[in-house]
Amino acid sequence: MNKNYYAILMAGGVGSRFWPVSTESFPKQFHDMLGTGDTLIQKTFQRLSRLIPKENIFILTNERYNDLVLEQLPDVKQRQVVLEPAMRNTAPCILYASLKIQKENPDAVMIVAPSDHWIEDEVTFSKNVQQAFDYCSENDALMTLGIQPTFPNTGYGYIEFEKSSTEVIKPVNQFREKPDYETAKQFIAQGNFLWNAGIFMWSVKSVVEAFKSNQPTLYALFETGISSYNTDAESNFIKENYPKAENISVDYAIMEKSKNVNVIAAEFDWNDLGTWGSLYDKLDKDASGNAVVLAKTLAEDASGNMIRTKKDKIVVVDGLQDYIIVDKEDVLLIYPKSKEQDIKKVLQKVKDKFGNHLG
């Protein structure tokens, strides 16, 4: 394996749309959401380790999840767990981890990948990442993997690439915010738009230079700590300075501002597993279209439901169509799939009424 290959696995999110399974104390990336026997972060780590040495995979997460990471990823050492003392979106943590990696290996090329995505064809995923790594090793480039849209989704940002390009690696014209339905339909009709999956590749030299050029204040904040990175002094520096960082995404911070951005249209199926509905889409269904994780079900006149319980719990459903049914210790959620985007709001109402311990 190439010792210059690195990964930053993003594992700090809460995944509140997967409540009540996903909670602040135990978020979705640490759960076996698909019923495969592996949690999402385990699946992602395994996928990345096909191409990247295990000791070069860094896990970016919140301080409170440190023990969960080490428990679920026994191949990971403490040096690989990069802890955020405060929630500051993706740009500060990616810059911080990149400077740590650069200090360890100035020749590193790396991928930034979310820990909670579903990718089945891991061979093709590795092929596309290898294409990006090869390009980034030879060129000053910021790369992203875009997903071929299958319908006018209004929940994703879009990447507009140079339509005239016949190469696999295409120049990016611009990033577009989450569109309304009519705009999304126009994007797909134009044929040169991809979904933004939040998967990035670059050399450590290129990404650090992009931060230096486009985010000088943020760069200056983390640059002052370089002497402490990868030493015993790092923790104190980060605790004191990380909360001072601007709350900004890597898309806004560097990708939308840089002129050297390219995209590969991914050749693998992808799902961001952002909601119960997106999980339902990826699971096998019974004859009535019910997707079941872990439970044993008797379904009469019930179809299109997403059902998840603890292992082997018997669930009897009659007369329900297109519902989310999730049973977890002290919470039972029975909720229309059509309103799944409101689960975040429902969680807040539950906290207000019954106390914070449920979320």
Side-chain angles (χ1 to χ4, degrees), residues 43-239:
K43 291 286 283 183
T44 306
F45 186 86
Q46 290 160 14
R47 186 185 314 128
L48 293 172
S49 64
R50 295 173 67 99
L51 188 65
I52 295 155
K54 288 179 179 178
E55 65 273 16
N56 289 357
I57 301 175
F58 286 74
I59 318 298
L60 256 173
T61 193
N62 193 275
E63 280 182 337
R64 69 170 83 177
Y65 307 136
N66 182 65
D67 292 347
L68 272 172
V69 168
L70 294 172
E71 180 187 319
Q72 294 204 0
L73 302 176
D75 291 321
V76 165
K77 304 289 188 286
Q78 187 65 62
R79 65 169 271 279
Q80 295 165 253
V81 187
V82 183
L83 300 174
E84 307 165 75
M87 301 286 261
R88 286 292 181 274
N89 215 315
T90 53
C93 58
I94 288 172
L95 173 57
Y96 167 34
S98 299
L99 289 169
K100 277 174 63 67
I101 290 169
Q102 186 178 46
K103 188 175 179 183
E104 181 175 297
N105 183 349
D107 298 321
V109 290
M110 57 203 249
I111 178 171
V112 176
S115 61
D116 51 5
H117 287 182
W118 178 92
I119 294 169
E120 191 167 342
D121 186 352
E122 298 190 345
V123 173
T124 304
F125 171 81
S126 295
K127 172 192 157 189
N128 287 155
V129 174
Q130 184 69 64
Q131 288 170 321
F133 276 7
D134 290 344
Y135 190 83
C136 292
S137 297
E138 300 295 328
N139 299 276
D140 175 23
L142 306 179
M143 297 280 297
T144 184
L145 288 179
I147 308 299
Q148 206 72 55
T150 50
F151 66 99
N153 195 315
T154 58
Y156 300 140
Y158 284 70
I159 301 164
E160 181 185 350
F161 62 84
E162 179 54 56
K163 200 169 188 177
S164 61
S165 173
T166 56
E167 303 297 322
V168 170
I169 294 170
K170 301 178 187 300
V172 169
N173 289 342
Q174 59 179 325
F175 288 81
R176 303 291 288 265
E177 296 300 311
K178 294 174 184 176
D180 58 30
Y181 185 71
E182 288 305 314
T183 307
K185 283 205 298 190
Q186 290 170 20
F187 286 172
I188 289 177
Q190 280 181 237
N192 62 325
F193 283 81
L194 301 166
W195 288 337
N196 183 358
I199 303 171
F200 306 106
M201 290 84 37
W202 41 53
S203 70
V204 72
K205 183 179 175 187
S206 289
V207 71
V208 168
E209 188 55 45
F211 274 108
K212 195 174 180 180
S213 302
N214 296 303
Q215 298 296 329
T217 304
L218 192 65
Y219 175 78
L221 175 67
F222 285 97
E223 193 266 344
T224 58
I226 284 178
S227 62
S228 73
Y229 295 155
N230 309 335
T231 75
D232 292 341
E234 178 180 335
S235 178
N236 285 339
F237 172 82
I238 288 300
K239 275 181 180 153

Side-chain angles (χ1 to χ4, degrees), residues 236-268:
N236 285 339
F237 172 82
I238 288 300
K239 275 181 180 153
E240 183 183 338
N241 290 282
Y242 198 94
K244 300 174 188 173
E246 184 183 354
N247 190 342
I248 184 171
S249 73
V250 74
D251 298 77
Y252 281 122
I254 60 170
M255 298 302 281
E256 293 182 9
K257 293 178 167 62
S258 300
K259 304 296 183 198
N260 58 336
V261 182
N262 295 274
V263 65
I264 293 174
E267 299 170 70
F268 49 84

Side-chain angles (χ1 to χ4, degrees), residues 280 286-291 299-307 317-325 334-339:
Y280 171 87
D286 66 16
S288 300
N290 298 304
E300 303 276 347
D301 187 28
S303 61
N305 298 301
M306 171 72 235
I307 303 167
V317 189
D318 193 330
L320 271 187
Q321 274 77 39
D322 298 321
Y323 266 73
I324 299 161
I325 303 162
I334 303 170
Y335 204 74
K337 257 194 350 218
S338 61
K339 294 174 68 178

